Amino acid sequence: MNVYDSARMADVLAPLGYRPVDEPDGADMVILNTCHIREKAAEKVFSELGRLRRMKDRKAEAEDGRMILAVAGCVAQAEGEEIVARAPFVDMVFGPQTYHTLPEMVAKASRAAGSVLNTDFPAESKFDFLPEETASQGVSAFLAVQEGCDKFCTFCVVPYTRGAEFSRPAAQILVEAKRLVAGGTREINLLGQNVNAWHGDGPDGSSWALGRLIRELAEIDGLERIRYTTSHPRDMADDLIRAHAEVPQLMPYLHLPVQAGSDRILAAMNRKHTADDYRRLVDRLRTAKPDLAMSGDFIVGFPGESDADFAATLKLVSDIGYAQAYSFKYSSRPGTPAAVDGGQLPEDVKEARLSALQQLLNAQQVAFNHGFIGRSVPVLFDRIGRRNGQLLGRSPWMQSVHAEANERLLGRIVEVRVDAALANSMAGTVATGEFTTASFPRNPSFPPAQPLEASA
């Protein structure tokens, strides 16, 4: 979401004469677009501001003009007044719902001696005021369709920093998607804090759900791949599950966070689903799409988590089998109910549990990727690799794949034979032939991710 927001900030600033540059040193404006979901991310903001202050001072001393320094995003929304107090050299502090007003904020910052603070939740959607013309995001692009959250998980700050759930109208999304495809995009990843909660007004006046939107996007000529993230188990509707079986452009990869495998901890997190609810949902998804690769999020060391609770999480991971996953130690976020829970766990306990969980998840990821060795997969090459003559891309199952290839294959879906696999990437050789959505293998017979006995 922050990558998408940053790109749209660049769109808003373009009419003022600003263009993106690769390095902050010497820039006329630097915006830190921040995340508040983990404590470590918030801590990095003030560390980075110290480094940027020296650049800002050097630019002023060299009479090379002024550097406007800004903090945006969720840390700005949650801690705006503290940022202004601790770092008065910051010119603008604004939340994720207000960046469409950047031209006005820049004008104020240019005139003002102090910081411009804007952490309101406007009544009007920012999407109604963003420029229609968007800068090219390249072969693979993000497209925000939903923002905010009404779930109020007890560990999460998103409802307080992003606000209530909001769904963009379908027509607005389709127009933006067509512009992206016209600019060379071949893969779109639909974004939302709870993207499968999206319910937007359709052009016909009815309310659409995400499955309907995906079917309409699939009709756009030139759009080869569709993905969406992040989903909530409570919002996995029947039509969306059917779309995984019926829409060839919808990739066989789903990020569906569960957070924990213990019903007691799930209840304390206010997740409103049980571990068996999640198991049954994954069974339905894999019945609809047998080659579906699952990804998830896990939090270990939640307040009050016992050894038995943690063992239940390991059991769920072993039962499901993940192709990818993100796992974290519980991080206390100010203002959330879990932050004042009396059952906070010691850091060494959280560290040990995270290590054990990651060992299991990494083993599953390696096993999943190794199942592709010797097979051919369709890879969308979307960027140049580190070595000369190397291209990088992704398989339908979200694996990073690199191969020696001519740059003319950028933006194309090409058959690649997998020669080697690690946990986070695969290496292959370009084979003959080129894929389109019409020729994607619907159910390739590769081994699904299986838990390894030794790692359980």
Side-chain angles (χ1 to χ4, degrees):
M1 185 66 82
N2 275 13
V3 173
Y4 175 84
D5 284 346
S6 295
R8 298 316 311 268
M9 288 181 202
D11 294 337
V12 172
L13 290 167
L16 303 184
Y18 290 96
R19 60 176 177 81
V21 293
D22 295 329
E23 298 294 335
D25 205 3
D28 296 302
M29 182 186 299
V30 176
I31 301 174
L32 291 182
N33 195 14
T34 62
C35 176
H36 201 247
I37 201 74
R38 304 277 172 232
E39 183 178 6
K40 187 175 181 181
E43 289 173 352
K44 285 182 178 179
V45 173
F46 289 102
S47 174
E48 188 70 7
L49 284 175
R51 186 175 74 94
L52 290 170
R53 181 181 189 177
R54 292 190 291 273
M55 296 182 188
K56 181 183 174 80
D57 291 343
R58 279 200 304 270
K59 187 173 177 67
E61 290 168 3
E63 298 183 355
D64 190 27
R66 177 187 178 189
M67 175 190 287
I68 294 178
L69 184 55
V71 179
C74 291
V75 172
Q77 184 69 43
E79 303 183 28
E81 292 183 359
E82 183 179 356
I83 293 170
V84 171
R86 288 179 58 179
F89 54 89
V90 173
D91 300 291
M92 299 186 301
V93 180
F94 56 96
Q97 305 304 334
T98 61
Y99 63 73
H100 60 289
T101 65
L102 263 170
E104 178 185 347
M105 286 189 280
V106 170
K108 288 182 178 178
S110 299
R111 298 191 303 265
S115 300
V116 175
L117 177 63
N118 188 354
T119 54
D120 294 334
F121 284 100
E124 306 87 358
S125 165
K126 66 186 177 189
F127 296 105
D128 294 336
F129 299 93
L130 294 175
E132 289 189 359
E133 294 303 319
T134 59
S136 173
Q137 290 191 45
V139 176
S140 182
F142 295 115
L143 200 171
V145 302
Q146 183 273 343
E147 278 199 275
C149 184
D150 296 341
K151 301 295 190 292
F152 289 93
C153 296
T154 59
F155 56 82
C156 186
V157 296
V158 167
Y160 312 103
T161 59
R162 286 275 181 175
E165 287 183 0
F166 167 78
S167 296
R168 296 177 68 185
Q172 193 180 80
I173 295 166
L174 293 169
V175 167
E176 186 170 341
K178 290 174 182 176
R179 283 201 298 264
L180 288 168
V181 173
T185 293
R186 293 294 171 262
E187 175 183 81
I188 287 179
N189 195 335
L190 306 177
L191 299 179
Q193 271 76 43
N194 286 304
V195 67
N196 56 341
W198 180 85
H199 280 82
D201 294 333
D204 57 1
S206 65
S207 177
W208 290 10
L210 189 62
R212 173 72 183 276
L213 178 65
I214 287 170
R215 294 172 195 275
E216 293 295 325
L217 288 167
E219 297 298 318
I220 299 175
D221 188 34
L223 180 56
E224 302 279 357
R225 292 182 169 186
I226 301 170
R227 304 183 189 272
Y228 62 93
T229 195
T230 291
S231 303
H232 196 290
R234 288 165 55 191
D235 294 317
M236 210 71 212
D238 292 344
D239 183 54
L240 182 54
I241 294 174
R242 287 195 301 271
H244 278 277
E246 298 168 359
V247 180
Q249 291 91 335
L250 182 56
M251 293 295 94
Y253 171 89
L254 177 61
H255 185 66
L256 189 65
V258 62
Q259 306 299 359
S262 159
D263 289 347
R264 191 177 72 84
I265 295 300
L266 289 170
M269 289 178 168
N270 195 35
R271 292 291 289 174
K272 301 290 179 65
H273 63 79
T274 67
D276 281 345
D277 289 339
Y278 185 86
R279 288 183 175 92
R280 285 189 289 269
L281 179 56
V282 172
D283 284 346
R284 291 180 59 208
L285 285 158
R286 284 177 168 161
T287 298
K289 189 69 173 173
D291 62 323
L292 187 70
M294 293 299 301
S295 172
D297 284 353
F298 296 89
I299 296 173
V300 301
F302 190 80
E305 182 186 70
S306 67
D307 289 341
D309 293 324
F310 178 63
T313 295
L314 293 179
K315 176 67 164 59
L316 182 137
V317 170
S318 296
D319 290 345
I320 298 296
Y322 287 91
Q324 293 184 27
Y326 303 91
S327 51
F328 310 91
K329 294 183 298 181
Y330 168 72
S331 175
S332 176
R333 308 312 298 126
T336 60
V340 295
D341 190 297
Q344 305 293 326
L345 300 187
E347 282 299 311
D348 60 339
V349 172
K350 292 193 282 187
E351 287 279 2
R353 289 178 181 174
L354 182 62
S355 177
L357 175 61
Q358 289 182 340
Q359 182 182 357
L360 175 57
L361 290 169
N362 289 342
Q364 289 187 347
Q365 189 165 333
V366 169
F368 180 79
N369 288 348
H370 272 245
F372 286 84
I373 294 175
R375 302 175 183 273
S376 292
V377 298
V379 175
L380 173 60
F381 285 125
D382 58 3
R383 58 204 184 280
I384 296 172
R386 294 179 180 178
R387 301 205 316 261
N388 288 335
Q390 185 186 72
L391 295 183
L392 290 174
R394 292 199 180 274
S395 76
W397 301 275
M398 205 62 174
Q399 298 136 312
S400 179
V401 182
H402 59 86
E404 303 298 321
N406 192 293
E407 286 188 24
R408 69 179 179 82
L409 295 180
L410 274 175
R412 297 187 184 181
I413 297 172
V414 180
E415 184 180 3
V416 174
R417 187 186 67 248
V418 178
D419 301 321
L422 300 171
N424 297 312
S425 66
M426 302 194 303
T429 303
V430 172
T432 57
E434 187 172 328
F435 280 79
T436 65
T437 50
S439 60
F440 277 176
R442 294 300 299 272
N443 291 295
S445 57
F446 64 86
Q450 295 293 334
L452 302 182
E453 294 297 330
S455 64

